[in-house]
Amino acid sequence: MPHKQKRASEQKHMISKKPVQGMDDSLNTSGRYKGRRRGKSAVIEELEGAKGDSHAHLPSSSETIEFRRRPGYGQMGTKCMVKANHFLVEISKSELCHYDVTVIPEVISSKLNRAIIAQLVKIYKETDLGSRLPVYDGKRNLYTAGLLPFTSKEFAVSVVQEQGLDATKELEFKVNIKFIGLINMNQLNELLSGKQVGTPHKALTIIDTVLKEVATRRYLSFGRLFYYPSIQKTHRLGGGLQAWRGFYQSVRPTQMGLSMNIDIASSAFIEPLPVIEFVAQFLGKDVRTRPLSDADCVKVKKALRGVKVEVTHRGNTRRKYRISGLSSQPTRELIFPVDEQMNMKSVIDYFQEMYGFTIRHSHLPCLLVGNQKKVNYLPMEACKVVEGQKYTRRLDEKQITSLLKVTCKRPSQQEMEILQTVRQNAYDQDSYFKEFGLTIDDKLATVESRVLPSPWLKYHDTGKVKQHLPHLGQWNMINKKVVNGSTVNHWACINFSRNVQESTARGFCRQLVQMCQLSGMEFNPEPVIPFHTARPEQVKKALKHVYNTAAAKLEGRELELLIAILPDCNGSLYGDLKRICETDLGLISQCCLTKYVLKVSRQYLANLSLKINVKMGGRNTVLLDALCLRIPMVSDIPTIIFGADVTHPEKGEESSPSIAAVVASQDWPEVTKYAGLVSAQSHRQEIIQDLFKTCQDPQLGSLSGGMIRELLLSFKRATGQKPLRIIFYRDGVSDGQFYHVLLYELDAIRKACASLEPSYQPPVTFVVVQKRNHTRLFPNNHNDKKNTDRSGNVLPGTVVDSKICHPTDFDFYLCSHAGIQGTSRPAHYHVLWDENNFSADEIQSLTNNLCYTYARCTRSVSVVPPAYYAHLAAYRARFYMEPDASDDSGMHHIRPLPELKEKVKNVMFYC
């Protein structure tokens, strides 16, 4: 196969790993850290196999941090029974054995490691392994249900693998298996019985490894997700992709015992097509007769990088390669040296002479495959995409819609598919289950839940409806006015859409202004300057023109709001507009897509008016209990509620930074307005680095800063009081990251408070919010209309804190929203730290009630709003990065995001 040598300048640089800035080497656990908790807490051990790369050196602590222990169970609400996709697992073995595995020569690939151990077991099981059937994690750990006949032994193993240009090659390995120790199940049993013991990670790891071994032998595995096209029929998504159905499984300790959580999953996979056909579908155009444009080549290169293909021009030899890129020239222009004398040959001639293969589409570029030192050319028409490759990049709108049609199943159908998966997997008949003494129940867990009452909402007294009690988690604005209407005196409109005439834009804005006035806002019906039309590529010039023209006319007063009409497919226009408005001009904007402008609905206008009101500093609704000072643990003393989240770049973007966002309530007792701040940090860093920071100034000395400190000061300016209680909702943290995130971020909150006043240490409650969990709650009777919403899901406000929750830690599941389509996903809340001594009812009702205050719609939402807002702010901030911010040059230094303008950061600009 023809190849070229890769230049040294094309080699990638490694990402530097920087420690978290502004953190001491220890966490002070004295004083208030211990003094404000009720009862004992579970001591956290350092978790094994924590997810993500924190890029931070952990501080040592003389004392361990302890999670909040469950203070009791909630009693509030109407009790009802639900089913959960948790299955009871029992283990009869009292001891399991742990062995260390060393493979020589060392193997990086866990897939090859598994193949080596599988071959070893096949050869030696009945002899040297004493008929034991071990499980292996693909790295260094092997587990058995009893002792092997040796403490240390070396085995010779050979496996056949594709290698080089030969079809196969036999590889020889030496495998050393060495006994480490016995793993006792007593600690696990004590935890499951409710005793306060450390989490038995090793015991859980062994059981998890057994479960994965069982599934991996039948399905393609991606972490805890398992797929195979035969599970259900695949569905085409368009663009060369197809949807595969699969399932998720994990084991965890719960109050009912050891539980296996099984859920149905769907993901996009690359369709196993000839590469030319894939490219044609991906671009949505014929590529067999027309050359690719430069823009098309960039798109195709990004889509194909890392994809595995097999050659089709060598008969039965289906050699597989991984694509590293595309040639910069079409195939007909490619030549390469065939010998050391640098005699050249064209790729077309080489394939004709070597394989008798005629290249018919020589106008297309070649695929580049191979390693860094030696890159080979492969014609697209000689390759086919290998089956079973998960697509990890962002889907377009049509693909998302198609995937949702596959994944959105009504609760009764979802429950049936989960039970069908358990039966199909036939765990109890599996040889590994029998070997390790595992049994699994084939029925879903039946759990007692409670439906929390909806909160009363307050609207403005000038409306017909002054107070409203939502029904089934949704309501509307008919006969209601927003509780605090904002004022818009000076606004302008830019139209970036060719399909919207100026008269249409005027008519749309007139209707929008009327809706805002009807909802209770003061809104000047006339724009400051005439409607402006511009092309999308002139966004910066157009925005500055409108801003400056308005400023000149207003004579010192500022333009307050920009309404922008965008094409339905607008590429980078939306992000560019938001970046310029929010970080350069300090201008609040509201974007509207062409399809909604041309076909106006009252519901769309009503939703826009809600968004505009909060962006301009108003409030849409407030909890009536907040105004009456009746919210426990909030209304008694000035309380600030934070929300925090970190979003990470897509897979494949190895140099892009992660974006952290923190929002905080700026009104008390209403707790409805949230100001937000954003920050860029190290690639895939989950711990928020800029919560608190210090720097040295030559004149002023040490200066304190960071997002927590700034938001505390902002609260003081807005309310005239300093917060005397902090409630911190943290989104996006996996179980394995709890300890590290709590350790650093609680410390940062403490330091931010102390930087304002040494004795200022308000009590903190730190709650992790997990939306992407795999627990599903189903009605006990799908035909019971009293206990289901219109979509057939459990009622909004359904909370579970028993049976499927942790044996000792303070956690609960809350389904705070009404289902729209498919099966609702409850949010999983973990109270990791609680110096405010919340009872179960207090934190559950507060969280549920806050879900009715989300500003962008008249529905209760699935995640507590401060966490939701933080996610929106972090997503918005990704648009703030300059176009070259993710180039290789930025890999050693995280370029700070441009500062939000003061006018923007104090309002809910991200809505």
Side-chain angles (χ1 to χ4, degrees):
M1 183 166 45
H3 64 270
K4 68 173 184 176
Q5 298 297 318
K6 189 138 184 169
R7 296 193 305 270
S9 61
E10 295 178 15
Q11 302 296 320
K12 301 287 185 185
H13 298 288
M14 296 297 291
I15 301 171
S16 64
K17 296 187 177 183
K18 296 184 177 180
V20 173
Q21 300 297 312
M23 298 293 184
D24 286 348
D25 290 337
S26 63
L27 178 65
N28 179 12
T29 56
S30 61
R32 190 182 298 275
Y33 273 60
K34 288 185 171 182
R36 302 191 67 93
R37 296 191 304 273
R38 290 187 303 203
K40 292 185 178 180
S41 302
V43 176
I44 304 169
E45 297 177 353
E46 192 158 315
L47 302 185
E48 295 180 356
K51 295 179 182 177
D53 182 4
S54 70
H55 291 183
H57 304 295
L58 293 176
S60 59
S61 176
S62 58
E63 300 182 46
T64 55
I65 270 194
E66 301 174 341
F67 286 161
R68 178 73 162 103
R69 189 173 183 178
R70 187 182 304 282
Y73 295 93
Q75 303 299 320
M76 186 184 294
T78 305
K79 292 183 179 180
C80 67
M81 301 305 292
V82 296
K83 288 177 284 188
N85 57 339
H86 285 244
F87 299 83
L88 183 63
V89 177
E90 294 183 312
I91 181 166
S92 60
K93 303 287 184 181
S94 60
E95 283 186 335
L96 300 175
C97 306
H98 183 195
Y99 291 84
D100 177 74
V101 175
T102 305
V103 178
I104 303 171
E106 185 181 0
V107 175
I108 304 299
S109 165
S110 61
K111 184 179 178 181
L112 179 54
N113 271 329
R114 289 181 186 278
I116 294 167
I117 298 302
Q119 183 69 4
L120 185 152
V121 173
K122 182 179 178 182
I123 297 170
Y124 298 104
K125 180 190 172 189
E126 300 302 330
T127 55
D128 297 68
L129 299 182
S131 298
R132 292 289 178 195
L133 187 60
V135 292
Y136 174 58
D137 71 352
K139 298 173 185 174
R140 293 290 300 267
N141 302 294
L142 182 137
Y143 307 103
T144 63
L147 290 169
L148 296 176
F150 56 83
T151 54
S152 179
K153 194 175 181 70
E154 186 173 272
F155 298 86
V157 180
S158 61
V159 295
V160 175
Q161 189 192 41
E162 289 184 348
Q163 187 80 14
L165 294 177
D166 302 325
T168 59
K169 182 177 180 180
E170 192 169 64
L171 303 176
E172 302 286 342
F173 296 96
K174 289 182 179 179
V175 180
N176 190 280
I177 298 177
K178 183 179 179 181
F179 178 70
I180 293 179
L182 296 173
I183 309 298
N184 197 296
M185 296 289 112
N186 287 344
Q187 189 183 9
L188 175 60
N189 294 330
E190 287 180 354
L191 175 66
L192 296 175
S193 68
K195 289 185 179 178
Q196 196 64 36
V197 295
T199 303
H201 298 294
K202 288 186 178 179
L204 292 171
T205 298
I206 296 174
I207 297 168
D208 204 44
T209 305
V210 175
L211 294 175
K212 187 163 186 177
E213 184 77 39
V214 172
T216 302
R217 288 185 297 119
R218 305 177 193 174
Y219 309 107
L220 290 172
S221 67
F222 299 86
R224 299 184 189 279
L225 295 167
F226 302 90
Y227 297 92
Y228 205 74
S230 63
I231 293 179
Q232 278 191 22
K233 184 182 176 183
T234 60
H235 296 263
R236 283 198 164 185
L237 301 177
L241 305 182
Q242 59 183 190
W244 285 23
R245 291 286 271 177
F247 65 95
Y248 165 94
Q249 72 174 27
S250 72
V251 64
R252 61 176 55 217
T254 66
Q255 293 168 39
M256 72 175 186
L258 200 59
S259 167
M260 182 152 75
N261 178 205
I262 297 180
D263 189 26
I264 300 302
S266 293
S267 284
F269 280 73
I270 303 173
E271 198 170 347
L273 298 167
V275 170
I276 284 187
E277 180 61 27
F278 170 80
V279 171
Q281 288 194 25
F282 177 75
L283 294 175
K285 60 174 71 173
D286 176 31
V287 298
R288 295 179 184 275
T289 56
R290 298 179 181 179
L292 300 181
S293 67
D294 290 344
D296 286 340
C297 282
V298 171
K299 292 178 186 175
V300 172
K301 181 179 179 181
K302 188 175 181 180
L304 287 177
R305 186 183 289 129
V307 173
K308 192 178 283 187
V309 294
E310 59 182 12
V311 295
T312 58
H313 66 285
R314 297 178 61 187
N316 293 328
T317 304
R318 309 287 280 197
R319 178 84 170 93
K320 294 181 177 66
Y321 298 90
R322 197 172 293 278
I323 299 171
S324 58
L326 291 183
S327 63
S328 56
Q329 299 167 285
T331 303
R332 60 175 170 241
E333 297 177 15
L334 292 174
I335 58 174
F336 65 97
V338 292
D339 52 35
E340 293 181 359
Q341 285 71 43
M342 300 300 287
N343 292 310
M344 310 300 284
K345 180 172 284 191
S346 71
V347 170
I348 292 176
D349 289 344
Y350 176 85
F351 274 85
Q352 184 67 57
E353 295 170 14
M354 191 73 176
Y355 305 111
F357 182 80
T358 303
I359 298 176
R360 302 183 185 280
H361 306 290
S362 60
H363 61 286
L364 295 173
C366 270
L367 304 177
L368 302 182
V369 300
N371 56 35
Q372 295 281 336
K373 295 181 180 178
K374 182 181 177 183
V375 179
N376 301 296
Y377 294 119
L378 277 179
M380 285 188 183
E381 63 202 83
C383 299
K384 181 186 177 184
V385 175
V386 173
E387 186 180 50
Q389 297 182 80
K390 201 173 176 185
Y391 187 74
T392 57
R393 301 187 185 280
R394 185 175 292 133
L395 303 178
D396 62 32
E397 282 191 24
K398 288 183 179 179
Q399 291 167 337
I400 291 171
T401 302
S402 299
L403 185 59
L404 285 175
K405 287 179 181 177
V406 178
T407 58
C408 284
K409 306 285 186 182
R410 288 185 68 84
S412 57
Q413 191 175 355
Q414 184 93 341
E415 179 185 331
M416 185 179 66
E417 288 189 16
I418 289 170
L419 290 169
Q420 186 180 337
T421 299
V422 174
R423 287 193 294 269
Q424 181 178 309
N425 289 345
Y427 294 103
D428 288 350
Q429 298 171 27
D430 187 87
S431 55
Y432 286 92
F433 259 63
K434 292 177 181 177
E435 176 80 11
F436 283 83
L438 292 171
T439 57
I440 179 171
D441 195 353
D442 60 357
K443 297 181 183 64
L444 280 82
T446 302
V447 187
E448 185 179 89
S449 70
R450 292 168 290 110
V451 181
L452 301 177
S454 303
W456 279 92
L457 302 177
K458 181 71 176 76
Y459 285 93
H460 200 276
D461 288 339
T462 57
K464 207 169 186 180
V465 176
K466 301 171 180 58
Q467 299 172 11
H468 182 74
L469 182 66
H471 178 62
L472 293 178
Q474 49 194 322
W475 63 102
N476 57 49
M477 288 295 292
I478 296 174
N479 296 326
K480 303 179 190 72
K481 292 183 183 293
V482 294
V483 69
N484 296 117
S486 58
T487 301
V488 179
N489 290 317
H490 314 305
W491 62 278
C493 177
I494 300 184
N495 179 13
F496 289 101
S497 176
R498 291 183 301 176
N499 297 328
V500 176
Q501 302 296 323
E502 184 175 325
S503 58
T504 305
R506 283 182 179 277
F508 170 77
C509 287
R510 184 170 60 252
Q511 292 181 73
L512 178 58
V513 168
Q514 289 171 353
M515 180 59 75
C516 289
Q517 292 170 336
L518 189 65
S519 70
M521 294 175 61
E522 291 184 23
F523 208 120
N524 186 343
E526 293 300 320
V528 173
I529 59 174
F531 283 63
H532 185 71
T533 302
R535 294 198 300 270
E537 59 271 19
Q538 294 179 328
V539 57
K540 188 171 186 177
K541 180 180 176 184
L543 289 172
K544 294 205 168 181
H545 168 77
V546 167
Y547 184 80
N548 292 331
T549 305
K553 188 169 182 180
L554 291 170
E555 298 178 343
R557 292 166 296 172
E558 287 188 327
L559 186 65
E560 295 166 342
L561 175 68
L562 176 73
I563 297 171
I565 299 172
L566 310 185
D568 293 332
C569 298
N570 54 70
S572 65
L573 174 60
Y574 176 84
D576 291 341
L577 185 146
K578 291 296 183 182
R579 185 185 73 250
I580 295 165
C581 285
E582 291 162 7
T583 67
D584 186 8
L585 302 177
L587 181 58
I588 298 299
S589 60
Q590 179 58 56
C591 295
C592 313
L593 291 178
T594 296
K595 59 185 176 183
Y596 300 121
V597 173
L598 295 178
K599 192 176 180 181
V600 185
S601 72
R602 285 187 63 83
Q603 184 62 56
Y604 177 66
L605 293 174
N607 286 344
L608 279 187
S609 70
L610 294 178
K611 295 174 71 172
I612 290 172
N613 186 49
V614 296
K615 287 180 182 181
M616 298 304 298
R619 295 187 190 90
N620 293 336
T621 189
V622 173
L623 295 171
L624 183 61
D625 279 352
L627 294 179
C628 299
L629 301 179
R630 291 197 302 249
I631 300 180
M633 309 300 287
V634 172
S635 300
D636 55 339
I637 57 174
T639 299
I640 187 169
I641 301 180
F642 284 92
D645 190 22
V646 178
T647 64
H648 302 293
E650 291 180 33
K651 190 175 181 181
E653 295 184 13
E654 297 303 328
S655 61
S656 297
S658 292
I659 304 292
V662 180
V663 303
S665 58
Q666 299 294 291
D667 51 349
W668 179 82
E670 296 91 344
V671 289
T672 304
K673 290 183 180 181
Y674 290 83
L677 296 172
V678 292
S679 175
Q681 59 187 45
S682 302
H683 178 75
R684 304 208 73 81
Q685 161 71 272
E686 183 56 47
I687 295 169
I688 301 177
Q689 296 175 321
D690 280 351
L691 289 181
F692 176 74
K693 58 186 178 182
T694 57
C695 62
Q696 291 295 323
D697 183 272
Q699 280 78 38
L700 302 175
S702 180
L703 298 178
S704 298
M707 294 189 279
I708 296 290
R709 189 178 195 275
E710 188 168 341
L711 289 167
L712 289 172
L713 289 170
S714 178
F715 180 95
K716 176 74 161 52
R717 287 193 296 269
T719 65
Q721 303 180 79
K722 63 183 179 184
L724 299 180
R725 179 187 291 119
I726 293 174
I727 301 170
F728 195 91
Y729 286 101
R730 177 64 158 89
D731 194 10
V733 182
S734 66
D735 292 14
Q737 296 168 319
F738 282 179
Y739 178 80
H740 298 158
V741 168
L742 178 63
L743 181 69
Y744 274 91
E745 297 186 3
L746 183 61
D747 190 39
I749 294 168
R750 285 274 168 252
K751 289 176 177 174
C753 293
S755 72
L756 298 172
E757 189 179 314
S759 60
Y760 177 52
Q761 290 291 295
V764 177
T765 297
F766 194 104
V767 186
V768 166
V769 188
Q770 291 179 322
K771 177 57 181 170
R772 294 180 180 176
N773 68 85
H774 286 272
T775 292
R776 298 289 182 274
L777 302 178
F778 301 102
N780 201 37
N781 179 358
H782 291 283
N783 297 318
D784 182 3
K785 301 301 180 185
K786 285 186 178 180
N787 289 313
T788 58
D789 65 14
R790 294 167 191 166
S791 65
N793 280 287
V794 296
L795 294 171
T798 298
V799 64
V800 171
D801 61 3
S802 63
K803 201 163 182 180
I804 60 171
C805 293
H806 194 276
T808 58
D809 291 352
F810 190 4
D811 70 324
F812 60 92
Y813 291 94
L814 174 62
C815 191
S816 51
H817 64 298
I820 299 176
Q821 58 178 344
T823 303
S824 297
R825 187 200 309 253
H828 194 184
Y829 294 88
H830 301 256
V831 183
L832 298 186
W833 187 263
D834 182 24
E835 296 170 334
N836 290 296
N837 295 328
F838 273 92
S839 69
D841 277 331
E842 287 167 345
I843 192 67
Q844 290 166 12
S845 63
L846 171 64
T847 303
N848 184 60
N849 291 348
L850 287 174
C851 290
Y852 286 78
T853 66
Y854 185 63
R856 304 210 307 177
C857 60
T858 51
R859 299 178 67 93
S860 60
V861 288
S862 59
V863 176
V864 68
Y868 205 144
Y869 294 147
H871 176 78
L872 292 176
Y875 185 80
R876 169 68 59 80
R878 201 156 286 283
F879 294 126
Y880 299 164
M881 294 188 298
E882 296 296 331
D884 62 343
S886 60
D887 289 351
D888 291 348
S889 60
M891 295 178 71
H892 289 288
H893 175 69
I894 303 301
R895 183 179 301 179
L897 295 174
E899 283 279 333
L900 288 168
K901 295 295 183 180
E902 284 297 324
K903 184 180 173 184
V904 172
K905 68 170 68 169
N906 292 323
V907 296
M908 298 168 72
F909 65 93
Y910 42 79
C911 281

